[in-house]
Amino acid sequence: MVDEKKTKGEISERDHQYWAANLRLIIGVLITWATVSYGFGILLRPYLMNVMIGGADMGFWFAQQGAILTFLGLIFFYAIRMNKLDKEFGLED
């Protein structure tokens, strides 16, 4: 009978799937963060200057507040999604 338990140092196909899903999630979060902070706050600011939010133009708002709020939202999203991913792969605490 072959022992199906992993020994220390062995990486299974399930481990690869878990890591691939984790990397996809991290890349998606980083792309969203970069789009909001660099894209809306810096690169697209000239195009967003005519849209006003609370007395400030939208580009300035994204650079000062929107990027921070998006970053906080991404932290919560990542934590919730990683908990689901851990449960899906049987790695929850």
Side-chain angles (χ1 to χ4, degrees):
M1 177 183 267
V2 177
D3 187 18
E4 294 183 11
K5 291 183 180 180
K6 289 192 310 186
T7 61
K8 192 172 187 175
E10 286 185 30
I11 299 174
S12 69
E13 181 61 31
R14 191 161 173 83
D15 293 335
H16 284 289
Q17 291 172 351
Y18 175 77
W19 186 240
N22 188 7
L23 283 179
R24 279 192 306 274
L25 180 60
I26 290 171
I27 290 169
V29 166
L30 285 175
I31 288 171
T32 303
W33 168 76
T35 300
V36 170
S37 34
Y38 293 114
F40 293 156
I42 297 171
L43 300 175
L44 296 177
R45 182 157 191 255
Y47 302 107
L48 299 174
M49 288 178 73
N50 296 331
V51 180
M52 302 300 277
I53 295 180
D57 66 88
M58 191 177 213
F60 178 79
W61 184 85
F62 269 113
Q64 297 300 312
Q65 299 296 324
I68 295 168
L69 295 175
T70 302
F71 182 68
L72 290 173
L74 287 173
I75 290 171
F76 287 106
F77 170 77
Y78 180 77
I80 291 167
R81 186 62 188 104
M82 277 306 297
N83 284 336
K84 287 181 183 178
L85 191 65
D86 288 346
K87 285 180 186 174
E88 183 181 321
F89 283 88
L91 299 172
E92 69 273 1
D93 289 336

